Amino acid sequence: GVSTLTGGATIGTGSNVLGLKVGWLTATNVKTSSTALTTLSDLTIAIGAGETWLIEWTLAATANLETTGLSLQVDTPASAVQDIFYEYIPQRLDLVGGIYTTPAMVDFGTASGTLVSWTAADIVFGGKAAINIFVRVTASGAGNVTLGYAQETSSGTALNILRGSRVKAQRTA
């Protein structure tokens, strides 16, 4: 379930220690045959007007990602200023001649609500991945910072964001 912690963060089961707030998915989220975004509500952060937060999500995704692809979207309160960094780390990295030939894929953004997608063709190795999303956001008005996910290409193969995927948030101002 979702609990509200001191400091205004709304996140899944977690704790608030020295201003660092953590939460995690208590159940695996499954997306099948749909490119419509689903918000990971257990990993939503409520922020107040004038506050600055550093937020980091770490997701474990499984499926045949070479079939489904993956789309992500961070939404922040209206008129917020943010920097967003997405990192996709594939199931395996190929080592050829001592050099990794399958790098992680990254994307950057500064606009709330911008969809970031990796197509099935982008995902060249493995059906599993670790995904890190980093956000620095300053809100002029109170609201929620949410993370949505979907299949990039609709497929009957389930895209799973696994139980235990987590969020860390720290208010810096």
Side-chain angles (χ1 to χ4, degrees):
V2 175
S3 60
T4 301
L5 304 178
T6 56
T10 303
I11 56 181
T13 305
S15 62
N16 179 7
V17 180
L18 301 175
L20 177 66
K21 300 170 186 185
V22 296
W24 50 89
L25 292 178
T26 57
T28 295
N29 284 252
V30 179
K31 172 73 74 172
T32 304
S33 301
S34 177
T35 58
L37 287 169
T38 297
T39 297
L40 295 167
S41 57
D42 281 356
L43 304 182
T44 292
I45 305 295
I47 61 177
E51 295 178 350
T52 298
W53 288 79
L54 297 176
I55 303 167
E56 173 188 347
W57 288 277
T58 301
L59 308 178
T62 65
N64 183 354
L65 293 171
E66 295 166 315
T67 301
T68 65
L70 176 66
S71 295
L72 298 168
Q73 181 173 304
V74 172
D75 286 305
T76 59
S79 302
V81 176
Q82 61 275 318
D83 293 302
I84 305 169
F85 173 80
Y86 300 86
E87 177 184 40
Y88 174 96
I89 303 167
Q91 174 180 345
R92 75 171 204 251
L93 300 174
D94 281 354
L95 187 61
V96 176
I99 298 172
Y100 286 106
T101 59
T102 310
M105 295 179 282
V106 298
D107 206 332
F108 302 91
T110 57
S112 174
T114 300
L115 188 68
V116 171
S117 295
W118 292 290
T119 68
D122 292 333
I123 300 171
V124 293
F125 289 108
K128 301 175 186 175
I131 298 104
N132 296 310
I133 303 102
F134 304 92
V135 178
R136 181 181 185 276
V137 59
T138 301
S140 57
N144 290 327
V145 180
T146 62
L147 176 63
Y149 82 104
Q151 294 179 332
E152 190 278 330
T153 301
S154 182
S155 170
T157 300
L159 168 60
N160 302 307
I161 304 298
L162 297 181
R163 177 179 144 183
S165 293
R166 64 176 173 80
V167 62
K168 292 190 312 186
Q170 185 170 13
R171 184 176 171 192
T172 61

